[in-house]
Amino acid sequence: MKRTILFTVTFILALSAQNKPTCDKCSATYISTAEMQAYGKRGMERHIIDQQVRAVDVGKSHVGIGMVYRGKLDQPQTASVAEHDYVSEVYHIIDGTATLVTGSTLVDAKPRPADYEAVRLLNGPGSNAVSTRNGATYHLVPGDVIVIPAGVGHWYTKIDDHISYLMVRIDPDKVVPLKDEAASKADLAKGR
């Protein structure tokens, strides 16, 4: 009887531990439209492609929020396929249109240097490649969403005039540093 009670208590405790949130006592993160627009404007005016607005700890993962602006592209640049080893990305297209190719089989991939800004601050270790084999092609328009898992190569082969999008980065290995509201304001103030 004692064993049954001990087993039952242990089982109940194990179940209750599983119901604990992965980010216990965390706070929500609010980013205003004004802040997002400031990054968008700066990207467009200064030709800054990818900007990390925030990177927050959500318990078992970090989540990065970025603004991306890319200008017209008639043909892909050399070795412009990007692949991130640990960070997955979600794009929500805001404005403009483009052709994006994705694929897991990279051609002539070379690791990005560890001191490269995108590796340090945006999406962690990964590679650049010349192209992908057996990729999928997407024509992105405003409102579209595309999810690019870690390890999947992705590259723009054409941007009609420009494209801007909200970037959500999922970083379960926490390879990218956090960026809070104060760091975001300081980033915007320095102007880059």
Side-chain angles (χ1 to χ4, degrees):
M1 181 66 140
K2 287 183 182 179
R3 282 186 180 170
T4 304
I5 292 172
L6 181 61
F7 175 77
T8 304
V9 169
T10 302
F11 182 73
I12 290 170
L13 287 174
L15 280 179
S16 66
Q18 291 175 356
N19 292 330
K20 185 177 178 183
T22 61
C23 198
D24 195 28
K25 308 276 191 267
C26 292
S27 299
T29 297
Y30 169 77
I31 305 169
S32 71
T33 299
E35 186 175 351
M36 295 299 290
Q37 288 175 342
Y39 277 97
K41 181 179 178 188
R42 180 174 76 172
M44 190 171 29
E45 289 175 352
R46 299 199 177 153
H47 306 285
I48 304 169
I49 293 173
D50 192 349
Q51 302 175 87
Q52 189 85 303
V53 177
R54 300 282 177 81
V56 299
D57 189 339
V58 294
K60 290 185 177 183
S61 182
H62 285 175
V63 173
I65 302 296
M67 279 297 295
V68 179
Y69 178 87
R70 293 176 179 271
K72 184 176 178 65
L73 178 70
D74 292 320
Q75 60 186 14
Q77 296 176 350
T78 304
S80 62
V81 176
E83 175 275 328
H84 316 303
D85 295 342
Y86 304 110
V87 175
S88 298
E89 297 179 328
V90 180
Y91 303 175
H92 179 238
I93 309 306
I94 297 168
D95 191 43
T97 58
T99 303
L100 180 77
V101 176
T102 65
S104 297
T105 305
L106 304 178
V107 175
D108 197 21
K110 302 219 180 337
R112 291 177 167 183
D115 62 349
Y116 184 54
E117 184 175 321
V119 170
R120 289 185 304 103
L121 302 176
L122 302 176
N123 38 43
S127 298
N128 281 87
V130 173
S131 64
T132 61
R133 282 197 191 96
N134 303 319
T137 301
Y138 304 94
H139 185 68
L140 303 177
V141 299
D144 284 353
V145 173
I146 187 158
V147 178
I148 304 170
V152 174
H154 49 286
W155 56 320
Y156 285 100
T157 57
K158 184 174 191 317
I159 300 173
D160 298 314
D161 177 70
H162 71 281
I163 190 163
S164 63
Y165 49 97
L166 170 74
M167 167 87 72
V168 178
R169 291 186 172 95
I170 300 134
D171 179 9
D173 294 295
K174 300 183 178 185
V175 297
V176 176
L178 298 175
K179 184 177 181 183
D180 62 12
E181 181 179 11
S184 177
K185 286 182 178 180
D187 184 6
L188 284 170
K190 72 180 179 182
R192 251 201 204 185

mmCIF file of all heavy atoms in Angstrom, residues 3 18 40 42 56 58 63 65 76 79 94 115 117 123 131 138 144 154 159-160 172 177 179 181 185:
data_model
loop_
_atom_site.group_PDB
_atom_site.id
_atom_site.type_symbol
_atom_site.label_atom_id
_atom_site.label_comp_id
_atom_site.label_asym_id
_atom_site.label_seq_id
_atom_site.Cartn_x
_atom_site.Cartn_y
_atom_site.Cartn_z
ATOM 1 N N ARG A 3 3.839 1.576 -1.161
ATOM 2 C CA ARG A 3 4.441 1.720 -2.483
ATOM 3 C C ARG A 3 3.464 2.345 -3.459
ATOM 4 O O ARG A 3 3.846 3.181 -4.276
ATOM 5 C CB ARG A 3 4.892 0.367 -3.021
ATOM 6 C CG ARG A 3 6.159 -0.096 -2.439
ATOM 7 C CD ARG A 3 6.597 -1.347 -3.139
ATOM 8 N NE ARG A 3 7.836 -1.802 -2.573
ATOM 9 C CZ ARG A 3 8.392 -2.945 -2.820
ATOM 10 N NH1 ARG A 3 7.804 -3.792 -3.640
ATOM 11 N NH2 ARG A 3 9.531 -3.269 -2.270
ATOM 12 N N GLN A 18 5.456 19.019 -15.214
ATOM 13 C CA GLN A 18 5.367 19.153 -16.662
ATOM 14 C C GLN A 18 4.475 20.316 -17.066
ATOM 15 O O GLN A 18 4.578 20.823 -18.168
ATOM 16 C CB GLN A 18 4.845 17.867 -17.285
ATOM 17 C CG GLN A 18 5.829 16.731 -17.191
ATOM 18 C CD GLN A 18 5.241 15.431 -17.703
ATOM 19 O OE1 GLN A 18 4.084 15.351 -18.054
ATOM 20 N NE2 GLN A 18 6.058 14.394 -17.729
ATOM 21 N N GLY A 40 12.668 50.437 -40.342
ATOM 22 C CA GLY A 40 12.359 50.338 -41.766
ATOM 23 C C GLY A 40 12.867 51.537 -42.545
ATOM 24 O O GLY A 40 13.486 51.394 -43.610
ATOM 25 N N ARG A 42 15.276 53.663 -41.636
ATOM 26 C CA ARG A 42 16.741 53.680 -41.627
ATOM 27 C C ARG A 42 17.303 52.680 -42.640
ATOM 28 O O ARG A 42 18.244 52.978 -43.366
ATOM 29 C CB ARG A 42 17.277 53.378 -40.231
ATOM 30 C CG ARG A 42 18.796 53.392 -40.172
ATOM 31 C CD ARG A 42 19.327 53.238 -38.788
ATOM 32 N NE ARG A 42 19.222 51.857 -38.351
ATOM 33 C CZ ARG A 42 19.768 51.419 -37.211
ATOM 34 N NH1 ARG A 42 20.400 52.242 -36.410
ATOM 35 N NH2 ARG A 42 19.647 50.159 -36.869
ATOM 36 N N VAL A 56 14.854 38.449 -27.621
ATOM 37 C CA VAL A 56 14.357 38.237 -26.259
ATOM 38 C C VAL A 56 14.434 36.762 -25.869
ATOM 39 O O VAL A 56 14.357 35.871 -26.715
ATOM 40 C CB VAL A 56 12.910 38.761 -26.090
ATOM 41 C CG1 VAL A 56 12.845 40.261 -26.346
ATOM 42 C CG2 VAL A 56 11.948 38.040 -27.003
ATOM 43 N N VAL A 58 12.702 33.693 -24.285
ATOM 44 C CA VAL A 58 11.334 33.220 -24.037
ATOM 45 C C VAL A 58 11.362 31.864 -23.338
ATOM 46 O O VAL A 58 10.451 31.052 -23.492
ATOM 47 C CB VAL A 58 10.490 33.171 -25.340
ATOM 48 C CG1 VAL A 58 10.282 34.566 -25.882
ATOM 49 C CG2 VAL A 58 11.110 32.258 -26.380
ATOM 50 N N VAL A 63 13.988 34.590 -29.218
ATOM 51 C CA VAL A 63 13.241 35.008 -30.404
ATOM 52 C C VAL A 63 13.746 36.388 -30.797
ATOM 53 O O VAL A 63 13.785 37.299 -29.967
ATOM 54 C CB VAL A 63 11.714 35.050 -30.150
ATOM 55 C CG1 VAL A 63 10.984 35.649 -31.332
ATOM 56 C CG2 VAL A 63 11.187 33.650 -29.861
ATOM 57 N N ILE A 65 13.403 39.707 -33.410
ATOM 58 C CA ILE A 65 12.484 40.442 -34.281
ATOM 59 C C ILE A 65 13.327 41.423 -35.077
ATOM 60 O O ILE A 65 14.072 42.222 -34.499
ATOM 61 C CB ILE A 65 11.412 41.210 -33.475
ATOM 62 C CG1 ILE A 65 10.609 40.265 -32.587
ATOM 63 C CG2 ILE A 65 10.515 42.020 -34.398
ATOM 64 C CD1 ILE A 65 9.789 39.228 -33.329
ATOM 65 N N PRO A 76 20.841 37.158 -59.031
ATOM 66 C CA PRO A 76 21.455 36.899 -57.723
ATOM 67 C C PRO A 76 22.927 37.281 -57.689
ATOM 68 O O PRO A 76 23.624 37.204 -58.695
ATOM 69 C CB PRO A 76 21.272 35.396 -57.528
ATOM 70 C CG PRO A 76 20.861 34.833 -58.830
ATOM 71 C CD PRO A 76 20.391 35.957 -59.701
ATOM 72 N N ALA A 79 27.507 33.762 -54.572
ATOM 73 C CA ALA A 79 27.500 33.110 -53.246
ATOM 74 C C ALA A 79 26.508 33.762 -52.290
ATOM 75 O O ALA A 79 26.791 33.960 -51.117
ATOM 76 C CB ALA A 79 28.902 33.085 -52.656
ATOM 77 N N ILE A 94 5.846 42.759 -46.003
ATOM 78 C CA ILE A 94 5.092 43.995 -45.768
ATOM 79 C C ILE A 94 4.847 44.732 -47.077
ATOM 80 O O ILE A 94 3.740 45.182 -47.350
ATOM 81 C CB ILE A 94 5.848 44.908 -44.777
ATOM 82 C CG1 ILE A 94 5.979 44.209 -43.420
ATOM 83 C CG2 ILE A 94 5.141 46.252 -44.626
ATOM 84 C CD1 ILE A 94 6.944 44.893 -42.470
ATOM 85 N N ASP A 115 33.498 36.141 -37.010
ATOM 86 C CA ASP A 115 33.439 37.566 -36.663
ATOM 87 C C ASP A 115 32.514 38.369 -37.587
ATOM 88 O O ASP A 115 32.357 39.584 -37.419
ATOM 89 C CB ASP A 115 34.840 38.181 -36.653
ATOM 90 C CG ASP A 115 35.536 38.135 -38.010
ATOM 91 O OD1 ASP A 115 35.036 37.452 -38.935
ATOM 92 O OD2 ASP A 115 36.589 38.786 -38.152
ATOM 93 N N GLU A 117 29.340 40.135 -38.871
ATOM 94 C CA GLU A 117 28.292 40.751 -38.050
ATOM 95 C C GLU A 117 26.999 39.937 -38.015
ATOM 96 O O GLU A 117 26.383 39.788 -36.960
ATOM 97 C CB GLU A 117 27.989 42.170 -38.533
ATOM 98 C CG GLU A 117 26.980 42.885 -37.653
ATOM 99 C CD GLU A 117 26.757 44.329 -38.028
ATOM 100 O OE1 GLU A 117 27.733 45.020 -38.392
ATOM 101 O OE2 GLU A 117 25.598 44.766 -37.962
ATOM 102 N N ASN A 123 22.003 35.825 -36.877
ATOM 103 C CA ASN A 123 21.530 34.459 -37.089
ATOM 104 C C ASN A 123 22.551 33.369 -36.822
ATOM 105 O O ASN A 123 22.359 32.241 -37.246
ATOM 106 C CB ASN A 123 20.916 34.299 -38.487
ATOM 107 C CG ASN A 123 21.656 35.071 -39.543
ATOM 108 O OD1 ASN A 123 22.869 35.069 -39.563
ATOM 109 N ND2 ASN A 123 20.929 35.738 -40.408
ATOM 110 N N SER A 131 24.620 28.180 -54.932
ATOM 111 C CA SER A 131 23.231 27.900 -55.308
ATOM 112 C C SER A 131 22.724 26.730 -54.480
ATOM 113 O O SER A 131 23.431 26.226 -53.600
ATOM 114 C CB SER A 131 23.118 27.580 -56.807
ATOM 115 O OG SER A 131 23.821 26.396 -57.111
ATOM 116 N N TYR A 138 9.605 30.629 -54.826
ATOM 117 C CA TYR A 138 8.410 31.331 -54.346
ATOM 118 C C TYR A 138 8.439 32.766 -54.848
ATOM 119 O O TYR A 138 9.464 33.438 -54.754
ATOM 120 C CB TYR A 138 8.379 31.360 -52.811
ATOM 121 C CG TYR A 138 8.455 29.993 -52.195
ATOM 122 C CD1 TYR A 138 9.687 29.463 -51.803
ATOM 123 C CD2 TYR A 138 7.312 29.220 -52.019
ATOM 124 C CE1 TYR A 138 9.767 28.200 -51.244
ATOM 125 C CE2 TYR A 138 7.391 27.959 -51.458
ATOM 126 C CZ TYR A 138 8.620 27.455 -51.074
ATOM 127 O OH TYR A 138 8.700 26.208 -50.517
ATOM 128 N N ASP A 144 2.321 37.666 -47.668
ATOM 129 C CA ASP A 144 2.849 36.298 -47.634
ATOM 130 C C ASP A 144 3.708 36.084 -46.397
ATOM 131 O O ASP A 144 4.331 37.013 -45.871
ATOM 132 C CB ASP A 144 3.721 36.015 -48.862
ATOM 133 C CG ASP A 144 2.934 35.791 -50.131
ATOM 134 O OD1 ASP A 144 1.687 35.714 -50.071
ATOM 135 O OD2 ASP A 144 3.566 35.702 -51.202
ATOM 136 N N HIS A 154 18.634 29.700 -48.537
ATOM 137 C CA HIS A 154 17.632 30.609 -49.102
ATOM 138 C C HIS A 154 18.346 31.785 -49.758
ATOM 139 O O HIS A 154 19.362 32.255 -49.267
ATOM 140 C CB HIS A 154 16.638 31.077 -48.040
ATOM 141 C CG HIS A 154 17.273 31.570 -46.774
ATOM 142 N ND1 HIS A 154 17.846 30.712 -45.852
ATOM 143 C CD2 HIS A 154 17.432 32.812 -46.279
ATOM 144 C CE1 HIS A 154 18.326 31.417 -44.841
ATOM 145 N NE2 HIS A 154 18.088 32.708 -45.079
ATOM 146 N N ILE A 159 14.490 40.704 -57.214
ATOM 147 C CA ILE A 159 13.648 41.616 -56.437
ATOM 148 C C ILE A 159 13.173 42.664 -57.424
ATOM 149 O O ILE A 159 13.981 43.379 -58.020
ATOM 150 C CB ILE A 159 14.417 42.254 -55.259
ATOM 151 C CG1 ILE A 159 14.922 41.150 -54.310
ATOM 152 C CG2 ILE A 159 13.522 43.245 -54.515
ATOM 153 C CD1 ILE A 159 15.829 41.645 -53.203
ATOM 154 N N ASP A 160 11.853 42.739 -57.616
ATOM 155 C CA ASP A 160 11.306 43.572 -58.682
ATOM 156 C C ASP A 160 11.667 45.047 -58.530
ATOM 157 O O ASP A 160 12.187 45.648 -59.451
ATOM 158 C CB ASP A 160 9.794 43.366 -58.773
ATOM 159 C CG ASP A 160 9.471 41.909 -59.127
ATOM 160 O OD1 ASP A 160 10.114 41.366 -60.050
ATOM 161 O OD2 ASP A 160 8.611 41.315 -58.464
ATOM 162 N N PRO A 172 16.636 28.387 -30.703
ATOM 163 C CA PRO A 172 16.534 27.493 -29.552
ATOM 164 C C PRO A 172 17.864 27.225 -28.854
ATOM 165 O O PRO A 172 17.874 26.867 -27.677
ATOM 166 C CB PRO A 172 15.957 26.197 -30.146
ATOM 167 C CG PRO A 172 16.304 26.239 -31.581
ATOM 168 C CD PRO A 172 16.330 27.706 -31.962
ATOM 169 N N PRO A 177 23.008 37.049 -29.260
ATOM 170 C CA PRO A 177 22.838 37.786 -28.002
ATOM 171 C C PRO A 177 21.478 38.468 -27.913
ATOM 172 O O PRO A 177 20.853 38.788 -28.921
ATOM 173 C CB PRO A 177 23.956 38.826 -28.046
ATOM 174 C CG PRO A 177 24.276 38.996 -29.490
ATOM 175 C CD PRO A 177 24.004 37.667 -30.132
ATOM 176 N N LYS A 179 18.812 41.473 -27.119
ATOM 177 C CA LYS A 179 18.787 42.916 -27.399
ATOM 178 C C LYS A 179 17.482 43.447 -26.829
ATOM 179 O O LYS A 179 16.402 43.129 -27.323
ATOM 180 C CB LYS A 179 18.880 43.177 -28.901
ATOM 181 C CG LYS A 179 18.950 44.652 -29.261
ATOM 182 C CD LYS A 179 19.115 44.837 -30.762
ATOM 183 C CE LYS A 179 19.218 46.297 -31.143
ATOM 184 N NZ LYS A 179 19.314 46.472 -32.598
ATOM 185 N N GLU A 181 14.990 46.772 -25.098
ATOM 186 C CA GLU A 181 14.494 48.059 -25.583
ATOM 187 C C GLU A 181 15.564 49.147 -25.504
ATOM 188 O O GLU A 181 15.723 49.940 -26.434
ATOM 189 C CB GLU A 181 13.258 48.484 -24.778
ATOM 190 C CG GLU A 181 12.661 49.786 -25.236
ATOM 191 C CD GLU A 181 11.416 50.192 -24.459
ATOM 192 O OE1 GLU A 181 11.113 49.570 -23.421
ATOM 193 O OE2 GLU A 181 10.746 51.140 -24.898
ATOM 194 N N LYS A 185 16.976 51.315 -28.650
ATOM 195 C CA LYS A 185 16.966 52.779 -28.718
ATOM 196 C C LYS A 185 18.370 53.324 -28.966
ATOM 197 O O LYS A 185 18.555 54.256 -29.749
ATOM 198 C CB LYS A 185 16.369 53.363 -27.441
ATOM 199 C CG LYS A 185 14.874 53.195 -27.371
ATOM 200 C CD LYS A 185 14.287 53.813 -26.139
ATOM 201 C CE LYS A 185 12.772 53.649 -26.147
ATOM 202 N NZ LYS A 185 12.138 54.224 -24.971
#
